[in-house]
Amino acid sequence: MTTVSESPTIGRDAAASMSPAIEMTAATKRFRTPDGSSYTALKNLDLRVERGEFCAIVGPTGCGKSTALTLAAGMERASGGAVRVFGKEVTGITPNAGFMFQTDAILPWQSVLENVAAGPRYRGVAKNTAYRDARDWIRRVGLAGFESNYPHQLSGGMRKRVALAQNLINEPELLLMDEPFSALDVQTRAKMSTELLGLWEQSKPAVVFVTHDLEEAIALADKVVVMTAGPAAGVKATFHIDLPRPRVVQEIRFDKKFNEIYQNIWEALREEVDIAYAQTTRSVAPDGKEAE
Amino acid sequence: MTMSSLDNTVTDQEQQPLSTEARSGGRKRSITRRRLKVLAVQLGIVVVLLGSWELLVRGGVLDALLYGQPTRIVNQLYIWVTQGTDNGSLGQQITVTIEEALIGFFIGTALGIVFGVAMGRIQFLSEVIGPFLKVINAVPRIVLGSSFVVMFGLGLMSKVMLVIVLVFFGVFFNAFQGTREVDKNFIANAEILGASKWQVTRQVVIPSAFSWIIASLHVAFGFALIGAIVGEFLGSQEGLGNLIRQAQGNLNQNGIWAAMLIMAVVALIAEWLITRLENRLLRWRPPQHSAAAEA
Ligand SMILES: Nc1ncnc2c1ncn2[C@@H]1O[C@H](COP(=O)(O)OP(=O)(O)OP(=O)(O)O)[C@@H](O)[C@H]1O
Ligand SMILES: [Mg+2]
C-alpha cells in the first residue's frame, strides 16, 4: 500500500463508464463587489469527485471553498468553465444533492420531526409515509425521543444531527458539507464524524466535505484537496488517503501512517495559509480587486 | 460501524433539561408578590388621579361642563346601559363600531400580508407597485374618510374602507420587511431539499415573516378602532363615533369620556387576544421572548 499519491486525476478507466459525481473544469467564479468592480474568487478550478467518493477540501480562509460548494449545489452559477454534476451541466438547484450549511439552516418554527420530514413532504410524499421515514432517520442519527422538540430546545450538536437526517432522508447521491461540525466542541465533533462515516458507508453517496481541520479531513476522506489562497483560487494539490476503513475518527490520530500523511499535506497547506495571512494583514481591498 | 451503535448516541453533554419547572416553582412566589406590589401602586395612582379630578370639579376649581367629572361619567354610562342611547341600545352602538373595525381589520391585514409577501418575493412586482404605494402612503389617509362617506354613504361600507386603508400600510410594510429579512440559508436549504417557489413562500418565508407581521397587528388594531370611530364621526347614523359626535354637539363632556372609556376596554380586550395569538403562533421561539407575555 502506498501512503500518499499526488495526482490531479485518478481512476480514469474505472469511472469511464459512469460520469463522476462532480466534474469542474476550469471553473471560474467572479463576484460583483459593492463598489461595482468584480472580484475573482475562483479561477480555473479543476475538481473531480467520483461517485461514492469522500472528498475533503481544505484551504485558507476566504479562498473560495464555500463558493465551490455553491457552484456544485447550483445555488450560484459559474462565470466561466464547466460545472457538471453526474454528467449534467448545472443550470439550477442540483437535484438529488444534499447540503449541510456551516450555520444552522433547519427551520426554528418546525419541530425535529417536521424538519426531517421536510424533504419528502416537498417532493409530494404522503404525510404518514414521510413522518414514518423521518422517525426512522431521527432514530438513526441518535435523536429518538426528541421528535417534537423545537430546534431551540436542542444543543448545537443535536441540531447538526437534525440537519444530517434532513439531508440523508432524501437519499442524496451527492452530499455537500460546508464545515458542518466547526461550531461543535472537539469531542462532539469527533463523535459526529465517526457517525457520519457509519451513515455514509451504508448508502455511499459522494461527499464533499469542507473543513479547516486537517486531521478531520484525513480521518474522514478518500481524497484531500488543498486549495490555493484567493483571489483566483484553484486546486494546489490532491492527496489520496488510503487508510483502511472502517475508521474510528477518535483513534485514527494515533496511527503512524496518519501522521506521515498529515505532515505531507500540512506542507502544502501551510504555504497557502501563510500567503493568505500575509494578504489579510497587509491590505485587503487593493489585492482583492480583479486585475487579470 | 453498525447501525445499532448509532442508535441513541446522544451524549450526556448534549442532553438539555427540557423543563425548567423545578426552578421556576421556587421563583413563582416572589414573582407573585412583586406583581401584587406593582398592581397596588398602579391602583393607587388611578385613585389619586380620579379622586383629585373629582375633588377639583366639586371644589369649583375646574368647570364641570368643560372638563367632565368621574362620577358623572359613571352616571352617563349607567344611563346608556339602562335607558339606551339616542341611537338605540348601547350594545348596538358598540357592536356596530366593533363590526366595522373587525371587518376592515381582517381585510386590511389580509391585503397587507399578501401584498407585502408578494412584493418582498417578486422583485418585478415591487419595482412596479412600490412607487404607487409610496405616494398613497404620503397622503394623510384619515382625510380619505370624508371622501369615503361621500362615495359610499353613511353606512358600514365607508367606515370599513377607511379602516382597510389605515390598517393596510402598517401590516404591508412589516410583511414586506419581514419577507426581505428571511435568512437566505433557510431558503437555500429548503430549495435543495426539493421545495418549489410556492413551498418556500408557504413553509419558510411566511412563518419567518410572521414575527414581523404579528408585531404590526397590535398597532393595526388601534388604527382599526380609530378608523371606525373617525368614519362614524365624519358621517353616520349609529356607533360609538356617532355618540361622541352627539355628545360634542351637546357640550356633554361626560358622554365623550364615557364613550372613550368603552373604546379603551374594547382595545384592551383586542390587545389581549392578539397577544394570545402571538404566543400561540410563535411558540417555537425560545422562552425569553414570550415569557414576559405569559407571566
Ligand atoms: N456573494 C458574494 N459577493 C462578493 N464576494 C463574495 C461573495 N461570496 C463570497 N465572496 C468572496 O469570495 C471569496 C471566497 O469566499 P468563500 O466564502 O467561498 O470562502 P471560504 O473558502 O469558504 O472561506 P471560509 O473558510 O472562511 O469559510 C471571499 O473573498 C469572499 O469575500
Ligand atoms: Mg466558507
Side-chain angles (χ1 to χ4, degrees):
Chain A
M1 258 196 278
T2 54
T3 38
V4 176
S5 57
E6 199 172 332
S7 67
T9 51
I10 44 106
R12 277 251 166 83
D13 39 20
S17 54
M18 278 204 284
S19 46
I22 297 181
E23 193 175 26
M24 296 192 190
T25 36
T28 298
K29 179 66 192 176
R30 277 181 228 101
F31 287 110
R32 200 174 305 285
T33 51
D35 62 8
S37 58
S38 91
Y39 175 89
T40 307
L42 298 175
K43 189 165 183 189
N44 295 333
L45 175 76
D46 293 312
L47 179 70
R48 189 184 161 102
V49 180
E50 303 301 331
R51 289 174 190 246
E53 188 177 37
F54 200 123
C55 170
I57 299 183
V58 294
T61 176
C63 72
K65 304 180 294 294
S66 300
T67 305
L69 286 192
T70 57
L71 290 184
M75 284 149 59
E76 296 272 359
R77 236 24 48 80
S79 324
V83 177
R84 288 202 187 77
V85 175
F86 297 111
K88 286 203 205 71
E89 194 81 34
V90 174
T91 52
I93 294 288
T94 308
N96 62 21
F99 199 111
M100 260 183 89
F101 293 81
Q102 180 170 359
T103 52
D104 284 327
I106 54 174
L107 298 177
W109 50 85
Q110 291 189 349
S111 67
V112 169
L113 184 64
E114 289 167 320
N115 264 300
V116 174
R121 297 286 290 138
Y122 291 146
R123 288 154 199 255
V125 173
K127 197 166 182 169
N128 282 342
T129 318
Y131 278 15
R132 197 193 57 221
D133 291 352
R135 283 206 176 81
D136 187 41
W137 273 105
I138 290 168
R139 186 183 55 75
R140 285 207 236 177
V141 298
L143 283 180
F146 291 91
E147 286 85 355
S148 50
N149 283 44
Y150 287 102
H152 78 83
Q153 297 167 318
L154 304 175
S155 70
M158 292 160 90
R159 287 198 286 268
K160 291 296 172 196
R161 290 164 198 268
V162 176
L164 192 59
Q166 185 182 51
N167 277 295
L168 291 178
I169 196 173
N170 277 338
E171 296 176 346
E173 292 173 85
L174 171 63
L175 185 56
L176 304 161
M177 308 180 85
D178 191 359
E179 304 184 37
F181 306 144
S182 62
L184 305 179
D185 64 279
V186 180
Q187 291 91 340
T188 312
R189 198 196 309 187
K191 197 164 165 44
M192 290 231 32
S193 301
T194 305
E195 287 174 25
L196 172 66
L197 280 183
L199 292 165
W200 171 68
E201 266 156 30
Q202 285 169 33
S203 54
K204 280 281 173 116
V207 176
V208 183
F209 189 100
V210 168
T211 177
H212 278 285
D213 182 346
L214 189 49
E215 285 190 12
E216 186 179 48
I218 298 168
L220 291 173
D222 298 317
K223 175 166 97 184
V224 175
V225 173
V226 178
M227 287 181 65
T228 60
V235 171
K236 176 170 176 121
T238 303
F239 298 86
H240 291 275
I241 315 295
D242 48 10
L243 294 168
R245 292 190 189 272
R247 303 176 188 166
V248 178
V249 176
Q250 292 96 317
E251 289 155 21
I252 203 166
R253 291 151 208 246
F254 309 121
D255 191 306
K256 191 162 152 285
K257 204 154 89 182
F258 178 93
N259 282 308
E260 275 171 40
I261 298 172
Y262 187 94
Q263 295 285 335
N264 262 318
I265 305 181
W266 176 238
E267 282 301 309
L269 180 58
R270 193 180 54 199
E271 285 172 24
E272 299 306 319
V273 171
D274 287 345
I275 294 171
Y277 184 74
Q279 275 173 4
T280 49
T281 46
R282 227 185 307 131
S283 60
V284 186
D287 284 353
K289 290 288 150 56
E290 165 74 291
E292 292 102 332
Chain B
M1 166 114 313
T2 61
M3 245 174 64
S4 63
S5 68
L6 287 173
D7 297 345
N8 301 315
T9 46
V10 176
T11 55
D12 282 346
Q13 71 202 21
E14 286 188 86
Q15 301 260 17
Q16 276 191 342
L18 292 177
S19 92
T20 48
E21 255 158 50
R23 251 186 305 148
S24 68
R27 275 191 325 206
K28 214 158 229 164
R29 206 176 314 142
S30 78
I31 288 175
T32 316
R33 209 179 308 137
R34 244 182 80 92
R35 291 190 64 200
L36 278 177
K37 212 156 122 190
V38 171
L39 218 63
V41 173
Q42 286 169 333
L43 206 69
I45 293 174
V46 172
V47 167
V48 168
L49 280 180
L50 290 182
S52 41
W53 180 2
E54 180 76 29
L55 288 177
L56 286 174
V57 172
R58 288 196 179 206
V61 183
L62 295 177
D63 188 336
L65 202 64
L66 298 185
Y67 294 94
Q69 189 178 342
T71 45
R72 292 201 193 166
I73 294 170
V74 175
N75 191 43
Q76 173 72 77
L77 279 173
Y78 180 76
I79 292 172
W80 276 348
V81 171
T82 52
Q83 300 166 21
T85 69
D86 293 346
N87 301 337
S89 78
L90 179 65
Q92 167 75 7
Q93 310 309 306
I94 298 175
T95 314
V96 166
T97 304
I98 291 182
E99 190 182 356
E100 294 159 353
L102 274 185
I103 295 175
F105 176 74
F106 282 121
I107 297 176
T109 301
L111 288 177
I113 294 176
V114 169
F115 270 75
V117 172
M119 284 177 58
R121 287 283 282 160
I122 307 166
Q123 178 80 23
F124 179 75
L125 212 60
S126 80
E127 279 172 22
V128 172
I129 304 180
F132 291 110
L133 288 176
K134 277 218 181 81
V135 171
I136 302 175
N137 187 37
V139 173
R141 288 184 297 281
I142 204 89
V143 177
L144 282 173
S146 299
S147 164
F148 288 151
V149 170
V150 174
M151 261 190 262
F152 303 110
L154 298 182
L156 182 80
M157 186 70 164
S158 57
K159 285 87 199 169
V160 168
M161 289 301 291
L162 183 60
V163 172
I164 291 175
V165 169
L166 290 183
V167 166
F168 173 81
F169 281 91
V171 177
F172 165 78
F173 283 118
N174 270 42
F176 180 72
Q177 192 64 22
T179 303
R180 283 294 171 89
E181 303 270 319
V182 178
D183 189 327
K184 297 286 173 295
N185 277 355
F186 288 169
I187 295 180
N189 192 41
E191 283 174 348
I192 287 169
L193 291 173
S196 64
K197 275 243 147 42
W198 172 241
Q199 284 170 328
V200 169
T201 302
R202 276 278 295 113
Q203 307 280 332
V204 182
V205 174
I206 293 181
S208 171
F210 235 101
S211 26
W212 284 77
I213 294 169
I214 290 240
S216 73
L217 294 189
H218 295 278
V219 182
F221 196 82
F223 273 123
L225 281 183
I226 293 174
I229 298 279
V230 170
E232 287 165 354
F233 202 87
L234 294 173
S236 65
Q237 280 151 343
E238 51 185 351
L240 284 174
N242 189 277
L243 279 189
I244 293 176
R245 189 176 149 135
Q246 284 178 19
Q248 187 191 340
N250 300 334
L251 291 182
N252 176 8
Q253 185 66 278
N254 294 320
I256 300 176
W257 282 109
M260 223 147 57
L261 202 65
I262 294 169
M263 277 184 54
V265 171
V266 171
L268 284 176
I269 292 171
E271 174 68 26
W272 177 75
L273 285 173
I274 292 173
T275 305
R276 284 201 45 169
L277 179 76
E278 188 168 16
N279 288 335
R280 245 193 97 83
L281 286 175
L282 302 181
R283 64 176 185 276
W284 53 268
R285 286 200 297 201
Q288 60 262 32
H289 290 295
S290 52
E294 264 167 45

